[in-house]
Amino acid sequence: HWGTGVVYGIHVSGTNVYASLQDGGLMVSTNLGNTFSVRTTAQGLGANYVSKTFSAGGYVYAAGAVGLGVSNDSGATFTNKTTANGLGSNGTYSAMSNGSTVYVGTFGGLSVSTDNGTSFANRTTANGLGHNMVNSVYVVGSTVYAGTGNYGTSGGVSISTDSGASFSNKTTSNGLGHNHVFSVFALG
C-alpha cells in the first residue's frame, strides 16, 4: 500500500528504501523495495507530507511540512524537530548528513546540527546563502552545496567549503540557467 499523494523522492541505503510521499507519510522497505510499510504521524513524523528523506548510520531524516523527523532506529519511529530545536523554519525541504553533522534545507535558511539532529544552528543570507529558502542540500566532505531561491530573481547555488559556516553564491551571472535552484548533486 503506497498511501496517497505524489512520490517526492526515493532514497536507498543498503537494503532499505525510503519513499517520501506528498500526503501519505514515508514508505519504508527493508528488503530492497519488495514490500513497504508506511510511517506517519502515528510513528512520530510531524506531518504526513514528506518532501525528502536521507539515511546513514541507522539514522533517518525525513524533511516535511511540519519539521524534520529524526529516527535512530532505521525509520521505525521518529522524533519531530522544529524551530524549538533551532530549525530556521518548520517547513523543511531536504536533509543530508555527513557523520553526525546534519544539514536541513528549510523555508528560513540552512539548519546545521552537529549532534545527529538533536539541536540546530541556522544559516541565512547573512552567512552568504543566495536566498533563505533552501530547496536542496548536498554534502561532499567539508563542501556543502545548497540550491536556493523562490521563483524570484534571488537564489542560486550556494557553496560552502567550511562545512556550512559561510557560503559563496553562484547565479545566472556565473552561467546558471536560472536563480531558482530546486536540486543539487555533486560527485567527489
Side-chain angles (χ1 to χ4, degrees), residues 80-98:
N80 197 53
K81 303 298 179 172
T82 65
T83 55
N85 306 101
L87 288 175
S89 169
N90 287 336
T92 60
Y93 276 132
S94 60
M96 187 169 191
S97 69
N98 184 13

Side-chain angles (χ1 to χ4, degrees), residues 41-134:
T41 55
Q43 286 76 38
L45 291 174
N48 291 331
Y49 179 107
V50 179
S51 54
K52 294 284 189 275
T53 305
F54 184 80
S55 172
Y59 282 87
V60 179
Y61 304 98
V66 186
L68 177 75
V70 178
S71 171
N72 63 4
D73 57 11
S74 297
T77 61
F78 289 86
T79 300
N80 197 53
K81 303 298 179 172
T82 65
T83 55
N85 306 101
L87 288 175
S89 169
N90 287 336
T92 60
Y93 276 132
S94 60
M96 187 169 191
S97 69
N98 184 13
S100 62
T101 303
V102 182
Y103 300 88
V104 182
T106 80
F107 291 19
L110 181 69
S111 300
V112 181
S113 169
T114 57
D115 54 13
N116 288 311
T118 300
S119 61
F120 293 87
N122 201 48
R123 309 295 190 264
T124 66
T125 54
N127 304 101
L129 288 174
H131 196 284
N132 286 335
M133 184 166 286
V134 179

Side-chain angles (χ1 to χ4, degrees), residues 52 93-94 133-137 146-151 156-157 176 178-185:
K52 294 284 189 275
Y93 276 132
S94 60
M133 184 166 286
V134 179
N135 303 305
S136 65
V137 61
T148 71
N150 187 23
Y151 297 105
V157 175
L176 283 179
H178 199 282
N179 288 331
H180 186 187
V181 179
F182 279 110
S183 185
V184 290
F185 178 79

